[in-house]
Amino acid sequence: MDIRVAAFDDPDARKLIDAVQQEYVRRYGDPDVTPVDPAEFAPPNGLFLLGYVDGAPVASGGWRAHDGDEEPEFRPGDAELKRMYVVDAMRGRGLARAMLAELERTAKDAGRTRLVLETGTRQPEAIALYRSSGYTDIPKFGVYRHTPESICLAKEL
């Protein structure tokens, strides 16, 4: 997979973000309503990546900096993972793990010290990926903090 930096609102990014939102609708009944500003994913305070196979966009993911001022659970140096996704036809090939590793590397290179994320119980594949990559439970944060299906995880970089 060829991983490239892209703007959050790049047409290929929009295509994959729309697809992941439909995945949330399928699994939970609604899209993710967490507030997201595309500018948050622009360097140096964020980054958005797209993965391509044979010229087609097949994977996405990004991180945005948090320094403890938005949520009590955030610490200075945190970055939040958002919009990790691999298209159905390309799942099971290690692409999500490769994307996650690149997101971790770029966040660390940008001076981030911990990655945090929110996922849900209806995404067992995502939970398995994150836990097997060293992510552990943290207190819930964000708009889903009171949702029983919500799971928040973090990994020191």
Side-chain angles (χ1 to χ4, degrees):
M1 177 172 62
D2 176 29
I3 299 177
R4 305 174 198 167
V5 175
F8 190 84
D9 54 3
D10 173 276
D12 285 344
R14 289 290 345 144
K15 177 181 173 183
L16 294 176
I17 291 166
D18 290 347
V20 73
Q21 288 285 31
Q22 286 307 305
E23 186 77 15
Y24 300 146
V25 169
R26 186 176 71 75
R27 293 185 188 217
Y28 297 99
D30 294 300
D32 180 3
V33 296
T34 302
V36 173
D37 178 351
E40 296 173 313
F41 295 89
N45 294 319
L47 193 69
F48 200 77
L49 302 175
L50 294 175
Y52 291 84
V53 172
D54 297 328
V58 298
S60 66
W63 60 264
R64 59 184 179 174
H66 291 294
D67 284 308
D69 51 354
E70 305 96 346
E71 297 271 348
E73 294 77 19
F74 291 159
R75 303 187 317 216
D78 278 356
E80 180 188 13
L81 287 177
K82 292 299 290 177
R83 303 302 182 251
M84 279 279 298
Y85 180 70
V86 174
V87 298
D88 288 347
M90 298 301 287
R91 292 183 183 166
R93 300 178 189 205
L95 302 182
R97 192 168 300 279
M99 180 63 74
L100 180 60
E102 185 64 4
L103 289 164
E104 291 172 350
R105 184 193 68 76
T106 58
K108 184 175 182 177
D109 287 353
R112 300 285 103 194
T113 56
R114 184 175 78 148
L115 282 179
V116 300
L117 64 95
E118 188 274 334
T119 189
T121 57
R122 294 184 187 176
Q123 294 169 264
E125 313 92 323
I127 295 166
L129 169 68
Y130 296 130
R131 291 198 192 285
S132 69
S133 298
Y135 287 77
T136 58
D137 291 270
I138 61 170
K140 292 181 184 182
F141 63 86
V143 298
Y144 298 106
R145 75 168 33 92
H146 301 295
T147 304
E149 296 171 323
S150 175
I151 296 171
C152 291
L153 304 169
K155 179 181 179 179
E156 301 293 331
L157 298 177

